Amino acid sequence: MEEPAAHNGSAAGAAPGAGAAARPPATPEGMALAYGSLVLMALLPIFFGALRSVSCAKSKNSSEMPETITSRDAARFPIVASCTLLGLYLFFKIFSQEYINLLLSMYFFVLGILALSHTISPMMNRFFPANFPNKQYQLLFTQGSGESKEEIVNYEFDTKDLVCLALSSVVGVWYLLRKHWIANNLFGLAFSLNGVELLHLNNVSTGCILLGGLFIYDVFWVFGTNVMVTVAKSFEAPIKLVFPQDLLEKGLEADNFAMLGLGDIVIPGIFIALLLRFDISLKKNTHTYFYTSFVAYIFGLGLTIFIMHIFKHAQPALLYLVPACIGFPLLVALAKGEVTEMFSLPSAPARGAFLSSQPAQRETGRSREPAALPPLLSPPLGDAGAECPGIVLPVHLGSCSRSPQRRDSSADSSSTSCQETGERRAARPACTRRAWQPKPCPGICRQGETPARTSSYESSAEILPHTPRLTHFPTVSGSPASLADSMQQKLSCPRRRRQQSPSAM
C-alpha cells in the first residue's frame, strides 16, 4: 500500500495530485469508505476469477486455454519484472513523459476493450433473447504454408461477443478521453479477473516460488529505492484500482484517491485459484483451502491498510499478503495431514495422466490372461484388429520331421505324422488358426477349430487327445565324453552309396 504516491501494481494508498499541499486532509468517513471499497473491489475478481478458472481448466476452446506458469517461469518472473520496472524508470527520465503515456494509453486501450469484453460476455448472454441471430466467427492468423504452417492467433467468437465488444469500446473511449476513475476501475477489474482466470500455476510449489520471489521484489523496490514510487507517479494506465477519499464532499469529481495495485490482486489471486482447484481434486465436496486462503487475503490486506495508516508511509502489500496466503493454508494442511498431497498433486496434469495402466494379468470369467506372450509366440494384431486371448497350455514342442506315410482312405488328407524329439511347456494362444501362427504339428490347432477353454488342466491329453506323443523314452548310458566321441565317429563315417541291382538298371 502507498499513501503519498500512486503505485504501479504492488502497493496501495492515497495519491494526491499536484496540489497536495493545499488539499484538505481526508475525513475518517471518507477514508473508511475508500479503503473498504478497495478491499471489496479486490475480492470480487479473486472470487469470481477463481471460480471461472475451474471451468477454464476444463475448456477445450483454443481461445480460452489457460497459460500455465511453471517453476522456471516463477523463478524468472521477479527478474523480468525488475528489468521492466527499471526500464520504465529510465524511459521516464530520458524521454518526455507525455509521449510515453500516450503510447501506453493506446496500448492499454486495446487490451482493456478485449479484457472487458471477455469479462462481461458470460453475463450478457443471459440478456439476449432465445431467437437472437447468433453466428460463429473465427479469427485465424498462420505463419508458413503446407506442413510447416503454424498458428499464431486462433480466436473463436460469435455475434454476442461482438455486441459485448461494442459496449466495451464505449468504456474504452470514455477512459481514453477523460481518464475517469470509474472507467479506470472497470478496466482494472477486467484485467484482474482475466489474470486470475487465465494464469494457472502448475502446482503449489510453483506458487510458493512465485510469491516468495515477488515478496523480495516488492520489499526491495519500495523500501530500498525510489524507482517504484517515481514510475507510479508518472505512469498513467489502468493498472491500479482507485477510489476517492473525498467522494462525500466532491462527488464523482473527487481527486484525492486511495489506490491498490493490480499486482496485489492477481499474484495472490492465482494462488488462491490454485487452492480451489486443489480442493476440487480432493473430491471431498469441501473448499477448505480456498476459503482459508480467501480469509487470509482479507487479513493480509487489512493488516496492510492498518500499518500504512499507523506509520504514514508507503507499504508493499505483498509483504503482508504472501505470508498470510501461504501460511494459513499450510497450517490447515498440517492439521489435516495433507501436506504431501498439497505439494505433490499437480493442478494441470499432463495428457494421459488420468489413464490407468494396464494390469499385468486380468481375470476373466473362465481363465487368467497373461499380460504378454513369450517373445517367440507374441502375435501381431490379426485381421480383425484385436489380439487373440492367450491361455497357458501344457503342449509338447520340438523339432518335427514330417515324412509321407501310407494314407488310409478314411484318413484326413491333411494329417501327417509327427515325431517329437523334445518336450517342454509353453504358453500358446487358444484361438482359431491365423496368419501369424507358425505351422504347428498336426492336431495342435486345426484350421476352423477352436479349442474349448477350461479352468484347470490335468494333463495335455485332456486338451489335445489326438496329438501323437512319446510314451517311452530311450535309455542312455555312458559318460557325456563317450557319447560325444560316438557322435563324432558317426558323423565322420562316409555314407556308402547304395548299389543298384542290375535288374533295376
Side-chain angles (χ1 to χ4, degrees):
M1 282 215 166
E2 191 168 306
E3 187 175 17
H7 200 281
N8 71 331
S10 60
R23 179 175 301 159
T27 60
E29 295 82 2
M31 294 176 60
L33 178 62
Y35 290 122
S37 300
L38 287 179
V39 172
L40 180 62
M41 286 191 292
L43 297 178
L44 290 177
I46 292 178
F47 184 83
F48 291 104
L51 295 179
R52 291 176 61 164
S53 71
V54 177
S55 59
C56 179
K58 303 177 182 179
S59 177
K60 297 182 179 179
N61 189 356
S62 59
S63 60
E64 296 181 359
M65 293 297 291
E67 184 72 22
T68 303
I69 301 175
T70 63
S71 57
R72 179 178 297 181
D73 299 331
R76 292 185 300 185
F77 192 85
I79 301 175
V80 175
S82 299
C83 294
T84 303
L85 181 64
L86 186 59
L88 287 174
Y89 175 78
L90 296 177
F91 265 95
F92 282 119
K93 288 293 184 179
I94 298 174
F95 300 100
S96 174
Q97 177 179 339
E98 181 180 358
Y99 294 107
I100 296 177
N101 282 326
L102 179 61
L103 180 62
L104 293 175
S105 297
M106 294 301 298
Y107 175 72
F108 282 100
F109 166 76
V110 177
L111 289 183
I113 291 176
L114 296 176
L116 186 59
S117 175
H118 182 265
T119 301
I120 66 175
S121 179
M123 296 180 293
M124 292 297 297
N125 288 336
R126 303 177 182 177
F127 297 99
F128 289 102
N131 57 352
F132 183 80
N134 192 25
K135 296 182 179 180
Q136 300 292 328
Y137 303 94
Q138 184 178 13
L139 182 63
L140 180 62
F141 287 97
T142 60
Q143 181 180 5
S145 60
E147 297 180 355
S148 61
K149 182 183 294 186
E150 297 180 359
E151 291 185 2
I152 301 177
V153 176
N154 188 359
Y155 188 78
E156 298 177 359
F157 56 96
D158 52 20
T159 308
K160 297 179 181 179
D161 294 329
L162 293 178
V163 175
C164 297
L165 189 66
L167 295 177
S168 302
S169 300
V170 175
V171 179
V173 173
W174 182 24
Y175 171 78
L176 192 63
L177 297 179
R178 297 289 303 275
K179 296 292 191 306
H180 200 274
W181 61 273
I182 296 180
N184 176 89
N185 289 346
L186 291 176
F187 277 171
L189 290 172
F191 286 140
S192 302
L193 191 145
N194 281 273
V196 176
E197 176 187 359
L198 300 177
L199 291 177
H200 288 193
L201 297 166
N202 60 355
N203 51 48
V204 177
S205 300
T206 302
C208 294
I209 294 173
L210 179 64
L211 267 67
L214 291 178
F215 172 86
I216 300 174
Y217 157 86
D218 209 17
V219 171
F220 173 77
W221 290 110
V222 171
F223 287 148
T225 66
N226 65 339
V227 173
M228 187 172 286
V229 175
T230 303
V231 172
K233 289 180 179 179
S234 307
F235 202 82
E236 295 181 4
I239 58 172
K240 53 186 177 293
L241 298 179
V242 298
F243 199 89
Q245 300 184 37
D246 52 351
L247 179 67
L248 300 178
E249 291 81 15
K250 298 183 179 180
L252 296 180
E253 300 299 326
D255 54 357
N256 185 13
F257 296 103
M259 59 186 60
L260 178 68
L262 298 188
D264 299 329
I265 302 174
V266 176
I267 300 302
I270 60 178
F271 186 77
I272 296 173
L274 170 65
L275 294 180
L276 174 61
R277 297 192 296 272
F278 172 68
D279 279 326
I280 296 176
S281 67
L282 294 178
K283 298 180 181 180
K284 295 183 179 180
N285 295 326
T286 58
H287 297 160
T288 306
Y289 294 99
F290 171 68
Y291 291 132
T292 302
S293 58
F294 197 75
V295 172
Y297 180 83
I298 299 175
F299 172 77
L301 193 58
L303 183 61
T304 306
I305 296 174
F306 176 76
I307 295 298
M308 186 203 66
H309 184 71
I310 294 298
F311 291 95
K312 306 297 182 181
H313 190 275
Q315 298 294 321
L318 293 182
L319 175 64
Y320 309 97
L321 291 175
V322 169
C325 291
I326 295 179
F328 281 39
L330 187 58
L331 291 177
V332 173
L334 286 172
K336 299 178 66 175
E338 295 177 346
V339 178
T340 304
E341 291 82 354
M342 174 182 286
F343 283 91
S344 62
L345 184 66
S347 172
R351 183 175 297 180
F354 293 113
L355 298 178
S356 60
S357 59
Q358 185 179 4
Q361 288 184 339
R362 58 180 185 271
E363 291 286 346
T364 59
R366 303 174 64 182
S367 63
R368 180 182 293 271
E369 300 181 10
L373 295 173
L376 295 178
L377 297 177
S378 298
L381 290 177
D383 297 335
E387 292 186 2
C388 173
I391 300 179
V392 178
L393 300 178
V395 296
H396 298 278
L397 297 177
S399 60
C400 295
S401 60
R402 301 177 183 270
S403 58
Q405 302 287 338
R406 183 175 295 177
R407 300 180 181 179
D408 194 5
S409 59
S410 61
D412 187 11
S413 60
S414 62
S415 64
T416 59
S417 65
C418 176
Q419 297 178 357
E420 299 283 342
T421 61
E423 180 177 1
R424 60 174 176 151
R425 298 173 64 89
R428 187 170 187 82
C431 62
T432 59
R433 188 170 179 178
R434 290 186 179 181
W436 59 266
Q437 293 176 335
K439 292 184 179 180
C441 294
I444 291 182
C445 186
R446 287 188 177 182
Q447 187 173 3
E449 194 173 285
T450 304
R453 289 187 177 184
T454 58
S455 58
S456 62
Y457 311 114
E458 296 293 338
S459 64
S460 60
E462 297 180 8
I463 301 300
L464 305 172
H466 49 278
T467 304
R469 293 169 177 80
L470 293 177
T471 57
H472 301 284
F473 296 91
T475 58
V476 179
S477 60
S479 62
S482 61
L483 292 176
D485 293 338
S486 62
M487 291 295 295
Q488 290 180 359
Q489 291 177 3
K490 290 181 181 181
L491 293 176
S492 61
C493 293
R495 293 184 180 180
R496 296 180 181 179
R497 178 173 293 181
R498 185 176 181 181
Q499 297 180 357
Q500 297 180 354
S501 60
S503 62
M505 297 295 293

